[in-house]
Amino acid sequence: MVGFEDTATGKEHVALVCGDVSGDTPVLTRMHSECLTGDSLFSLRCDCGFQLQEALRRIFLQKAGACCCICARKAAA
């Protein structure tokens, strides 16, 4: 798990990284927009948590040399 800050917005994000992502080989990546109620509580009002769970399942089933899931914080409204 790698935390990082977007220098343009000051927002902090998290990347779940598996394997070596520093080379020239393409990395299977999921870009996910955070949703507290969907991701953590599996709210029935949205399918964000289910989307994230399925994306992670597919990423790890690929058995790729490296993979990444970036959970990006939403911009302020």
Side-chain angles (χ1 to χ4, degrees):
M1 185 180 303
V2 179
F4 62 97
E5 180 181 347
D6 179 347
T7 56
T9 65
K11 292 281 186 188
E12 295 170 339
H13 309 285
V14 173
L16 304 174
V17 180
C18 178
D20 182 6
V21 297
S22 64
D24 292 333
T25 305
V27 176
L28 183 60
T29 302
R30 157 76 179 184
M31 187 69 174
H32 184 77
S33 181
E34 78 168 350
C35 174
L36 179 61
T37 56
D39 295 345
S40 303
L41 306 173
F42 289 93
S43 170
L44 298 177
R45 297 188 73 173
C46 68
D47 63 352
C48 301
F50 300 106
Q51 288 180 14
L52 178 58
Q53 185 178 33
E54 179 63 14
L56 290 173
R57 186 184 75 77
R58 288 183 184 192
I59 285 173
F60 287 107
L61 284 177
Q62 286 291 317
K63 298 193 187 321
C67 55
C68 179
C69 178
I70 300 171
C71 297
R73 304 219 32 216
K74 292 182 180 177

